Amino acid sequence: ANYYTGSRATGFYNNEDPKAWAAALGSSEMVIVNSAGNSGLRYPQNPAPMAYATRPDGSLYLNGQMLVVGAYDINSNSIASYSNQAGHLCQGFNIVAGTCNDTYRMSDFYILAPGNAFSAGKTGDVYTSSTGTSEAAAVVSGAVAIVHQQWPQMTGANIVKLLTATANKDLVNYDKDVMGAGLLDLEKATRPYGVVGIPTTGRKVALGGGFSTSTSGGLASVGALS
């Protein structure tokens, strides 16, 4: 683990303040997708630590609505050598006897995606193949949009949970502190996920737990559950 000292609310490098990020996010269900950086470091670069920044009461400033994206190398079936990894930077004044007491870790919000993607050229309609965590972040942004389109009632925090929970961890030398949740698996993420799946208006809604209905409401009310 990598640690950073300083006051709890501003104990992040470059003095990023999670309070300002939380104020900007407001009550929006938007998912913030941030590239991890291309310096080959053990931890993502600024502002990635905002993903797990917590208030003194332990709640997340960004409500779990941020994803940090590293680059996956299809040739090695592992994280790209240039990609910053999922190492953790401990929040200021949250280290006791050399142990980081953060409730959440960078690996909880870190996901891999292919680092080779096509991007638009500067002139005309020419597209070129580019490499980097920025390209990987664009792939994850598209995945967020697809999941939101498929399940518009799903909260931003649950979209993050779904993509990280369904990510592929069958990678060479998988280590969560290096590769986070694993490789984005959009096909799995768009299947029903949870205890039971119920078709409603053409979509399958995954429910993580039990539910009950009455004769007055019946199954018609199930579609409102998220």
Side-chain angles (χ1 to χ4, degrees):
N2 293 276
Y3 302 120
Y4 192 88
T5 58
S7 86
R8 184 181 179 85
T10 58
F12 303 97
Y13 55 89
N14 205 33
N15 291 320
E16 282 286 350
D17 188 347
K19 296 176 183 177
W21 280 74
L25 183 63
S27 60
S28 169
E29 291 297 338
M30 175 177 61
V31 175
I32 302 170
V33 181
N34 178 65
S35 56
N38 305 319
S39 301
L41 301 175
R42 291 175 56 197
Y43 52 89
Q45 291 170 281
N46 190 58
M50 297 299 104
Y52 59 83
T54 55
R55 300 178 179 88
D57 65 3
S59 63
L60 289 161
Y61 275 104
L62 298 186
N63 194 38
Q65 291 172 226
M66 186 173 185
L67 281 167
V68 179
V69 186
Y72 171 76
D73 186 340
I74 61 173
N75 295 315
S76 65
N77 189 34
S78 187
I79 188 170
S81 60
Y82 59 81
S83 177
N84 289 344
Q85 301 173 3
H88 188 70
L89 290 166
C90 195
Q91 295 175 88
F93 295 139
N94 211 24
I95 304 171
V96 178
T99 299
C100 179
N101 290 326
D102 283 350
T103 305
Y104 302 90
R105 292 293 190 272
M106 185 72 262
S107 56
D108 296 327
F109 304 100
Y110 184 106
I111 192 169
L112 293 170
N116 289 78
F118 288 101
S119 59
K122 294 182 179 180
T123 58
D125 295 326
V126 177
Y127 287 82
T128 59
S129 178
S130 301
T131 302
T133 57
S134 292
E135 283 72 18
V139 174
V140 172
S141 296
V144 169
I146 289 172
V147 170
H148 174 65
Q149 182 181 46
Q150 185 163 4
W151 291 298
Q153 75 279 12
M154 187 177 291
T155 65
N158 280 339
I159 291 176
V160 170
K161 290 178 181 177
L162 178 63
L163 292 180
T164 52
T166 57
N168 179 18
K169 297 172 177 57
D170 187 20
L171 308 175
V172 175
N173 297 322
Y174 171 74
D175 181 342
K176 69 180 181 64
D177 291 322
V178 175
M179 306 173 200
L183 176 64
L184 172 71
D185 188 339
L186 184 57
E187 200 279 332
K188 187 175 181 180
T190 51
R191 295 178 185 174
Y193 183 81
V195 177
V196 62
I198 300 174
T200 172
T201 62
R203 296 187 177 94
K204 293 183 178 179
V205 180
L207 303 177
F211 65 92
S212 62
T213 61
S214 65
T215 55
S216 60
L219 287 176
S221 63
V222 173
L225 298 175
S226 64

